[in-house]
């Protein structure tokens, strides 16, 4: 006679749910091991230092100066730029780092993009050898922070032809007069790149202005923004500011040279827009896995899953478009229209994705404490700055048809 052994009582393990993953197509695998290590280092900084405090700063409309020492230690000033004390590395690395920043907070990515891309980029692309030697090393070390002043209160999309800020040459000095609006970092930075129309030849020229010590330079903080609230945007007034010829960007002779900077930075905004989607998506997935309704996680409902799937498809599309864009940029082949289409596409998809993320959170989607609201609001600014959606599409439209629809 055999004694049958009773089966052990089944104990149910809690289900292991997949962690939110916004790299569904493994685009990070396109980086080298060395580059990936740098991206991971930046991610560590963002997750441990930025994420815990950023919502409070966003709600308070304030910049987290307490983060600057750790930011400097990251040693990422001048990523993608070679020489002059810059960190160097590939343009892909720069793109992924900006995307990582935006994944945690689009304001931090914008602060970095303005300093590193727009301000340092202007000197790197349009400065003389001497100017690069003088200005880029302290900016790469983030001892001096920069801003970029192109937009004016009355001239936004039409800056190519209509700048009202003027530059008048008197011997070896230029006299600048006018106003600039929306200028990120300008309320506290050290170096302002100011674009003005030369009264002699009517061409746009760039100037490196030491704003803290130049008489006639003043800035007023723009209040009551609903997006990118951590970035301090200012309205600059230049009243008879005297700038030495040595501070005029020597390789810049017209708006065409300004546009070379914008081509590089507007494609960087596409990386930001993609990171913004990744952040919102990851928060939404986590929420959907945890939030219970009708006795079940909302992530188990088909309609919620559809929203998440659509968000992920947007992210994948943007990441793959960027992966090809960066190849073209690295080969020096990215055209204005290609930079414009990737900016237009990724920022418009960002608006869609963050709105769906907000929807997944229901009412909590409009509370900044749940993070998604921050991405939701920030996507609006990213969609419009560095050339609006319409302006990007006009650039693309001209490349498609051969007709310029600019008025
Ligand atoms: C948060 C934030 C940060 C910024 N940071 C900076 C910065 O650091 N430095 C800087 O120089 N600028 C900065 N900007 C300015 C930004 O680049 C401009 O807001 C942008 O270029 C649009 O200009 P605008 O706001 O004057 O809009 P407008 O040019 O007045 O446009 C208003 C609307 O009209 C549309 N429109 C205009 N012309 C046409 C046309 N020909 N055909 C069809 N539609 C048209 C536009 O697409 C838009 O929808 C920032 C803006 C924001 C919101």
């Amino acid at each position: 006679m055999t004694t049958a052994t009773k089966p052990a009582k089944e104990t149910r393990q809690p289900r292991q749910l997949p962690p939110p993953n916004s790299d569904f197509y493994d685009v990070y695998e396109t980086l080298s091991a060395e580059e990936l290590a740098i991206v991971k280092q930046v991610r560590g900084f963002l997750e441990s230092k930025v994420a815990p405090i950023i919502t409070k700063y966003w709600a308070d409309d304030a910049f987290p100066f307490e983060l600057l020492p750790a930011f400097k230690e990251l040693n990422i000033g001048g990523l993608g730029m070679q020489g002059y004390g810059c960190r160097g590395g590939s343009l892909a690395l720069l793109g992924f780092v900006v995307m990582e920043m935006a994944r945690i907070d689009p304001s931090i990515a914008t602060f970095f993009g303005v300093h590193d891309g727009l301000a340092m980029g202007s000197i790197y692309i349009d400065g003389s050898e001497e100017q690069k030697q003088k200005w880029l090393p302290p900016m790469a070390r983030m001892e001096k922070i920069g801003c970029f002043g192109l937009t004016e209160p009355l001239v936004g999309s039409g800056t190519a032809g209509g700048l009202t800020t003027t530059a008048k040459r008197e011997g070896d000095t230029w006299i600048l007069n006018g106003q600039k609006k929306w200028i990120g970092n300008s309320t506290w930075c050290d170096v302002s790149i100011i674009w003005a129309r030369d009264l002699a030849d009517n061409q746009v020229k760039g100037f490196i202005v030491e704003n803290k010590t130049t008489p006639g330079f003043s800035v007023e903080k723009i209040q009551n923004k609903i997006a990118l609230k951590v970035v301090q945007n200012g309205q600059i007034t230049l009243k008879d500011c005297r700038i030495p010829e040595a501070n005029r960007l020597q390789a810049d002779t017209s708006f065409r040279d300004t546009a070379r900077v914008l081509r590089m930075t507007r494609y960087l905004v596409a990386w930001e827009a993609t990171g913004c989607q990744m952040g919102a998506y990851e928060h939404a997935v986590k929420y959907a896995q945890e939030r219970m309704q009708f006795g079940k996680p909302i992530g188990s409902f088909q309609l919620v899953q559809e929203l998440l799937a659509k968000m992920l498809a947007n992210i994948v599309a943007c990441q793959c478009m960027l992966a090809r864009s960066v190849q073209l940029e690295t080969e020096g082949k990215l055209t204005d229209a290609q930079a414009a289409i990737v900016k237009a596409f990724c920022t418009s998809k960002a608006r869609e994705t963050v709105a769906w993320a907000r929807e997944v959170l229901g009412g909590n989607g409009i509370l900044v404490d749940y993070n998604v609201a921050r991405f939701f609001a920030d996507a609006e600014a990213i969609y419009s700055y560095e050339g609006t959606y319409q302006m990007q599409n006009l650039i693309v439209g001209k490349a498609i048809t051969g007709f310029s629809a600019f008025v």
Side-chain angles (χ1 to χ4, degrees):
M1 211 174 114
T2 54
T3 322
T5 47
K6 262 193 178 172
K9 203 174 174 191
E10 248 185 71
T11 49
R12 275 233 168 140
Q13 296 294 323
R15 268 182 71 195
Q16 274 290 332
L17 296 174
N21 173 21
S22 56
D23 183 20
F24 201 56
Y25 264 42
D26 296 328
V27 281
Y28 281 65
E29 284 183 8
T30 60
L31 292 174
S32 68
E34 197 185 310
E35 290 170 331
L36 200 54
I38 297 170
V39 172
K40 281 191 180 154
Q41 184 200 3
V42 174
R43 178 174 282 201
F45 161 73
L46 290 157
E47 288 182 345
S48 64
K49 300 264 191 312
V50 179
I53 61 169
I54 206 64
T55 299
K56 169 105 177 65
Y57 278 99
W58 195 93
D60 289 349
D61 245 335
F63 185 81
F65 290 102
E66 62 175 287
L67 290 175
L68 279 182
F71 223 117
K72 284 178 192 170
E73 273 173 30
L74 277 178
N75 183 24
I76 53 171
L79 264 183
M81 297 177 207
Q82 314 306 322
Y84 313 104
C86 295
R87 177 66 190 258
S90 69
L91 292 169
L93 174 60
L94 171 63
F96 276 86
V97 162
V98 168
M99 187 163 78
E100 273 301 318
M101 287 182 181
R103 175 179 158 267
I104 297 296
D105 182 56
S107 292
I108 291 295
T110 300
F111 150 70
F112 182 75
V114 170
H115 167 70
D116 200 88
L118 284 165
M120 287 182 72
S122 296
I123 299 171
Y124 187 74
I125 291 172
D126 284 337
S128 65
E129 187 56 30
E130 210 180 356
Q131 289 172 330
K132 290 183 213 181
Q133 302 268 12
K134 176 174 177 186
W135 297 100
L136 291 178
M139 291 177 84
R141 291 192 298 271
M142 295 182 86
E143 288 162 11
K144 285 196 185 297
I145 298 295
C147 76
F148 178 93
L150 177 65
T151 309
E152 301 182 350
L154 299 179
V155 188
S157 302
T159 46
L163 283 191
T164 63
T165 299
T166 57
K168 187 168 174 245
R169 187 165 183 169
E170 276 183 16
D172 267 353
T173 302
W174 290 85
I175 299 166
L176 267 50
N177 276 292
Q179 284 197 313
K180 296 286 167 189
K181 187 172 179 184
W182 287 118
I183 312 310
N185 305 346
S186 63
T187 58
W188 59 277
C189 74
D190 311 280
V191 181
S192 298
I193 306 295
I194 298 292
W195 302 91
R197 189 168 49 82
D198 180 354
L199 284 174
D201 64 5
N202 226 17
Q203 297 298 330
V204 170
K205 303 213 159 97
F207 299 87
I208 305 167
V209 179
E210 293 179 76
N211 44 267
K212 283 182 173 159
T213 51
T214 301
F217 189 102
S218 59
V219 193
E220 206 176 313
K221 176 177 163 169
I222 295 177
Q223 305 283 355
N224 305 327
K225 285 189 299 167
I226 63 152
L228 296 179
K229 283 156 66 74
V230 170
V231 182
Q232 304 295 292
N233 292 89
Q235 176 149 318
I236 295 174
T237 300
L238 301 128
K239 198 165 182 321
D240 292 328
C241 290
R242 300 177 73 83
I243 312 299
E245 161 65 7
N247 282 23
R248 181 181 62 78
L249 290 173
Q250 299 291 317
D252 169 84
T253 53
S254 72
F255 193 81
R256 273 178 199 282
D257 297 311
T258 320
R260 289 194 293 149
V261 181
L262 293 175
R263 182 174 58 223
M264 184 260 291
T265 54
R266 82 173 30 133
Y267 131 96
L268 272 184
V269 176
W271 287 97
E272 267 179 38
T274 306
C276 175
Q277 296 179 67
M278 291 163 66
Y281 167 78
E282 289 180 28
H283 284 294
V285 171
K286 198 158 184 305
Y287 190 86
Q289 289 171 330
E290 290 168 0
R291 174 76 172 174
M292 304 291 287
Q293 287 298 299
F294 301 95
K296 290 177 174 176
I298 60 166
S300 66
F301 300 137
Q302 292 175 352
L303 296 179
V304 172
Q305 289 190 1
E306 194 217 13
L307 284 175
L308 294 171
K310 289 196 297 189
M311 290 160 69
L312 189 56
N314 274 355
I315 293 167
V316 168
C318 293
Q319 289 171 334
C320 290
M321 199 170 177
L322 281 166
R324 176 59 185 151
S325 301
V326 79
Q327 287 174 344
L328 290 170
E329 175 74 339
T330 304
E331 291 164 16
K333 293 197 303 205
L334 190 78
T335 64
D336 281 339
Q338 286 166 333
I341 205 169
V342 72
K343 199 269 178 183
F345 183 80
C346 296
T347 57
S348 68
K349 290 292 136 191
R351 267 181 125 192
E352 224 172 57
T353 304
V354 297
W356 287 331
R358 197 218 63 73
E359 204 172 327
V360 168
L361 268 73
N364 288 333
I366 66 158
L367 287 176
V368 279
D369 315 73
Y370 288 80
N371 288 302
V372 169
R374 186 161 43 84
F375 293 97
F376 176 76
D378 289 351
E380 288 302 304
I382 296 173
Y383 180 70
S384 287
Y385 72 25
E386 298 238 11
T388 64
Y389 182 71
Q390 287 73 22
M391 298 318 288
Q392 308 300 342
N393 282 337
L394 292 184
I395 295 169
V396 178
K398 185 178 169 192
I400 297 170
T401 64
F403 300 121
S404 171
F406 286 93
V407 284

